[in-house]
Amino acid sequence: MWNYLVRRLILGIFTLWAVTFLVYMLIRWMPGDPLLARMEQMSAGKKIRAEDREQMKKIYGLDKPAAVAYFAWLGNVLQLNLGNSFSRYQPVTQVIGERIGPTLLLSGTSLLLGYLLAVPMGLYATARGGKLDERALSVSLYMLYSLPAFVAALYLQMIFAVKLQGTWLELPLDGMTGGGFDGFSMWGKAWDLFQHALLPTICMTYGTLAYDTRFIQANMQEVLRQDYIRTARAKGVSRTRVIVHHAFRNTLIPFVTMLGLELPLVLSGAIILEQIFTWPGMGRLFFEAIREYDYPTIMGLVLLFSVLTLLGQLLADILYAVVDPRVTYS
């Protein structure tokens, strides 16, 4: 087991280096200039002298070739320093740290709701296989999975923020909090957050819910065709016990693999949805950093997402051995 973990750690470090190197090269070669982006933010009449421009290049590390600048960035990362944001003039760790909470609120709630609803819905669809209600559920899930989240977001905003404006069903159009939030009571703040988070959470959840439910149902149908299930039925075991106790346990093997692979989604958020709902999360920060040529913030986010992806895959492998005793890494 330890040998396996060491091999995975070495492979993970190499993968992390390759991903960050490729992304750094990509952002340095993409059209645009961080200095021009900074100049656009200045007043129209203000001009930058050539010597000041060269000084800014040195400060931002843009005077070095891309490969040299990358290894300078990597050296700082090894000293736990992600640098300073070009556009926000703050440490990247502070900029990212301020966005983690809002993203966790959305993504964590969405993933939790997705799993809590997908398991019973998948088991129900399996138990009712071929019946009218199961067909209706399957068709509904297909339609939900096919509907892009950004389209659903626009429709929901149109319905609940515009058409139902002035009614008790009205919901905020965007943002994380409303005006006067600091003056609300604890319950008032919780209710305001709930109202603002409801629409983006729905948009982030329904696609995952549809996919996970279909995933569980498909794996359950495969397991129910196994010989040991027929044996259990021949011994008179009830259908509910066969599905829940015997079949569902074996569907956990691919399910936990999927859980590990979805770990990066907890912090990566949804870039388009956070942009539509003006939600101050990690996904929106990533979009803003690309638009502003904020290289340190882009690299900090890429590093974070890559580490989470590798940890998720490692966690999936470990859970795979936990739920299936036949799997060993010795």
Side-chain angles (χ1 to χ4, degrees):
M1 183 68 177
W2 288 109
N3 290 336
Y4 172 78
L5 291 177
V6 170
R7 288 200 304 272
R8 286 298 301 267
L9 182 62
I10 295 173
L11 181 62
I13 292 173
F14 176 76
T15 305
L16 206 56
W17 172 80
V19 169
T20 54
F21 180 77
L22 290 174
V23 172
Y24 195 88
M25 293 297 108
L26 179 64
I27 61 176
R28 285 295 297 266
W29 292 341
M30 69 180 182
D33 187 343
L35 296 184
L36 290 177
R38 301 292 78 72
M39 292 168 65
E40 289 174 356
Q41 297 175 354
M42 297 178 181
S43 56
K46 188 173 183 179
K47 294 183 179 179
I48 296 181
R49 296 178 302 172
E51 53 268 29
D52 292 337
R53 182 181 172 84
E54 293 302 317
Q55 183 65 24
M56 290 173 68
K57 276 189 174 182
K58 287 183 181 178
I59 293 173
Y60 291 156
L62 301 175
D63 58 328
K64 303 182 181 68
V68 176
Y70 167 77
F71 283 104
W73 172 83
L74 185 62
N76 290 330
V77 169
L78 294 177
Q79 300 175 40
L80 304 180
N81 178 16
L82 295 179
N84 291 323
S85 166
F86 286 175
S87 57
R88 292 167 178 78
Y89 311 107
Q90 293 175 326
V92 171
T93 50
Q94 181 181 343
V95 172
I96 294 177
E98 291 172 352
R99 300 297 186 101
I100 288 179
T103 291
L104 277 179
L105 181 63
L106 274 192
S107 304
T109 306
S110 171
L111 284 178
L112 185 63
L113 278 177
Y115 291 136
L116 288 178
L117 295 175
V119 172
M121 288 174 66
L123 294 179
Y124 176 80
T126 304
R128 301 288 297 173
K131 303 288 194 311
L132 180 61
D133 51 348
E134 185 271 333
R135 297 291 177 89
L137 178 62
S138 297
V139 171
S140 302
L141 293 175
Y142 272 125
M143 293 175 65
L144 282 177
Y145 189 65
S146 304
L147 179 65
F150 65 88
V151 175
L154 296 176
Y155 269 111
L156 290 176
Q157 283 182 321
M158 182 64 70
I159 294 171
F160 287 98
V162 179
K163 298 294 183 184
L164 297 176
Q165 189 175 22
T167 70
W168 65 276
L169 289 174
E170 179 187 357
L171 290 173
L173 182 67
D174 54 21
M176 185 174 169
T177 57
F181 180 79
D182 293 334
F184 293 163
S185 64
M186 185 181 70
W187 290 111
K189 290 180 178 179
W191 178 247
D192 188 61
L193 272 175
F194 171 78
Q195 285 187 310
H196 282 83
L198 185 57
L199 294 185
T201 301
I202 291 174
C203 294
M204 291 182 69
T205 303
Y206 76 79
T208 307
L209 173 64
Y211 178 82
D212 290 348
T213 303
R214 292 292 302 164
F215 184 85
I216 293 172
Q217 185 185 8
N219 281 281
M220 288 288 289
Q221 290 173 344
E222 179 69 24
V223 172
L224 288 176
R225 287 194 286 267
Q226 301 295 320
D227 290 339
Y228 72 94
I229 296 294
R230 294 194 190 96
T231 303
R233 285 174 173 167
K235 289 181 177 179
V237 179
S238 67
R239 182 175 176 80
T240 303
R241 184 172 175 78
V242 167
I243 290 176
V244 177
H245 184 73
H246 295 280
F248 181 60
R249 185 177 179 182
N250 284 293
T251 62
L252 287 176
I253 297 173
F255 193 59
V256 296
T257 305
M258 190 174 64
L259 288 178
L261 296 177
E262 288 182 352
L263 179 62
L265 297 178
V266 175
L267 284 183
S268 62
I271 296 176
I272 297 177
L273 286 178
E274 288 188 357
Q275 194 66 20
I276 292 175
F277 287 103
T278 324
W279 191 266
M282 304 278 283
R284 190 165 182 232
L285 175 63
F286 195 61
F287 179 84
E288 293 171 348
I290 293 175
R291 188 184 60 195
E292 297 164 353
Y293 300 97
D294 191 351
Y295 298 159
T297 302
I298 295 173
M299 291 305 298
L301 290 170
V302 168
L303 180 66
L304 178 62
F305 298 156
S306 301
V307 168
L308 283 176
T309 302
L310 294 172
L311 283 178
Q313 291 178 344
L314 180 61
L315 180 64
D317 288 346
I318 294 174
L319 290 175
Y320 196 84
V322 171
V323 298
D324 189 351
R326 296 169 298 178
V327 178
T328 61
Y329 295 111
S330 60

